[in-house]
Amino acid sequence: MEKYKKVFESENIYYIKLNKTLIEEYLKMVNDPEVSNKISHNPKTFTYEEELNWININLENNALIFSMIEKKTDEFIGNIEIMHIDDNKIGEIGICITATKQNQHYGTEAMQAIMKYGYEEIGLKGIELNVYKTNPRAIHCYEKVGFIQAGTGKTEEDIHMIHKK
């Protein structure tokens, strides 16, 4: 863990800023069809250059994107982010977990950790997200940490969910 600067942590996960040394892991995750079809309606294959550009832009903008590192192995789990914060201090979050780290309760732990970070460190008043109707595992995870369904999301295929402090 010494090669990364920890921003915060939960029981089993370190949360670090985006890191160029993880670019191969990021690419493996976003280009995996098992993962990409849960985060994009139009999945595409990203190149090294596109991913590096994405990392650089987000680092320059101090984006609230955190890579999750498993404490016991130092392995990459995925990314979690607060994507937008509106004028009412409602943050929109997103999470992406590598296929090999899914179904190990990291999603639940990470959601609880990012909500705590958002409420306590950033001063959010609420959190929202959009999830595909075809992703029941994610919906279950979000409901387990206190999100409720609040209608249609960004498209007819999405569910909008909210969490109030």
Side-chain angles (χ1 to χ4, degrees), residues 73-111:
T73 64
D74 273 354
E75 292 177 359
F76 175 69
I77 296 170
N79 290 333
I80 193 163
E81 67 180 302
I82 301 173
M83 298 180 285
H84 304 103
I85 300 173
D86 70 16
D87 294 339
N88 296 316
K89 297 290 276 183
I90 306 296
E92 180 183 358
I93 60 174
I95 185 171
C96 186
I97 297 178
T98 64
T100 60
K101 296 294 182 181
Q102 292 180 14
N103 296 317
Q104 298 179 41
H105 305 287
Y106 289 126
T108 300
E109 181 176 336
M111 291 299 291

Side-chain angles (χ1 to χ4, degrees), residues 21-93:
T21 64
L22 291 169
I23 193 166
E24 294 297 334
E25 296 290 337
Y26 298 156
L27 281 167
K28 189 169 26 171
M29 179 177 65
V30 298
N31 289 333
D32 181 338
E34 190 176 329
V35 174
S36 63
N37 68 10
K38 291 180 177 66
I39 60 172
S40 175
H41 288 297
N42 300 303
K44 68 170 253 179
T45 300
F46 291 89
T47 66
Y48 184 94
E49 292 74 26
E50 288 171 323
E51 195 70 8
L52 182 60
N53 186 49
W54 177 80
I55 293 168
N56 286 331
I57 288 169
N58 283 293
L59 287 173
E60 286 171 20
N61 292 327
N62 289 315
L64 297 171
I65 304 172
F66 304 100
S67 293
M68 298 177 284
I69 305 296
E70 187 178 48
K71 284 184 176 181
K72 68 181 174 194
T73 64
D74 273 354
E75 292 177 359
F76 175 69
I77 296 170
N79 290 333
I80 193 163
E81 67 180 302
I82 301 173
M83 298 180 285
H84 304 103
I85 300 173
D86 70 16
D87 294 339
N88 296 316
K89 297 290 276 183
I90 306 296
E92 180 183 358
I93 60 174

